[in-house]
Amino acid sequence: MLITIEGIDGAGKSTLLKSTVSFLRERGHEVVAYREPGGTPLAEEIREKLLNQNLDPIVELLLFEASRASLVREKVIPDLQSGKIVLLDRFVDSTLAYQGYGRGLDRDLVEMLNNFASSGIKPDLTFLIDIEPEVALRRLKKRDRFEELGFLRRVREGFLEIAKREGERIKVLDGNLSQDELLGTVISILKDRFEFV
């Protein structure tokens, strides 16, 4: 099973991912977690370039997809095939929201490249932590080049539009809740959705 956690920077994705992994492991499940971009040596190198260099939007998109292809082929597919639960901090929805809605690149092209780089793998369930960009920016200690208010507003709208289209897969969570409340909501959704949890 593949579960992804999405949202703008500062929404609380990484913290929720860690606590969800802990919950599933306590229930006896074999769980692995990765971040995007990242998760393999090549993908981590690409991550450094993406976060620290001012890149052309097309170059940026292709680097995200290269990082994804490395992670999916080297880690995600083998892990899923061996019966593990895989959790990802960002996946294809982030690329569509950030590069499609945020950067204004052709969304059909972004979706086609997402599908190609991910080998057609789709998440079984996605948690989207929704929060106002102003609140998210206040939470961030260290900012990278993706954290600009107008840009994050477009990205948030993109996420919400994707969630409307894919309401069965994407569950929108209130990013103003405490981490304990968010985890409680996630656990409740997991128990409703999957008998084995």
Side-chain angles (χ1 to χ4, degrees), residues 53-184:
Q53 288 186 25
N54 204 9
L55 301 168
D56 178 89
I58 301 250
V59 174
E60 182 181 278
L61 171 63
L62 293 173
L63 284 173
F64 273 113
E65 300 295 5
S67 170
R68 174 167 301 131
S70 173
L71 176 63
V72 166
R73 291 178 169 278
E74 292 174 45
K75 302 284 187 179
V76 175
I77 290 174
D79 287 337
L80 291 172
Q81 287 172 341
S82 71
K84 293 175 184 160
I85 297 174
V86 178
L87 269 78
L88 292 179
D89 182 341
R90 298 200 181 285
F91 195 47
V92 291
D93 297 314
S94 272
T95 310
L96 184 55
Y98 275 79
Q99 278 64 54
Y101 289 86
R103 296 276 185 246
L105 295 179
D106 183 290
R107 292 174 205 160
D108 290 335
L109 173 65
V110 174
E111 291 199 85
M112 186 189 75
L113 289 171
N114 276 345
N115 193 51
F116 180 64
S118 64
S119 299
I121 288 172
K122 294 242 192 272
D124 297 286
L125 182 62
T126 297
F127 294 107
L128 168 61
I129 307 175
D130 178 48
I131 194 165
E132 297 83 2
E134 294 84 350
V135 176
L137 287 173
R138 282 199 300 270
R139 289 180 177 181
L140 291 167
K141 292 177 184 76
K142 181 182 169 230
R143 292 193 190 182
D144 61 42
R145 65 190 190 82
F146 291 99
E147 282 117 28
E148 182 268 314
L149 187 57
F151 177 70
L152 285 183
R153 283 183 178 145
R154 294 192 301 275
V155 173
R156 180 193 185 202
E157 285 310 307
F159 273 128
L160 292 173
E161 214 170 287
I162 297 164
K164 257 188 225 155
R165 280 201 321 261
E166 295 200 53
E168 183 56 31
R169 170 177 69 87
I170 302 174
K171 301 304 170 195
V172 180
L173 309 177
D174 181 354
N176 295 301
L177 295 175
S178 70
Q179 278 297 325
D180 285 345
E181 289 170 316
L182 277 175
L183 180 61

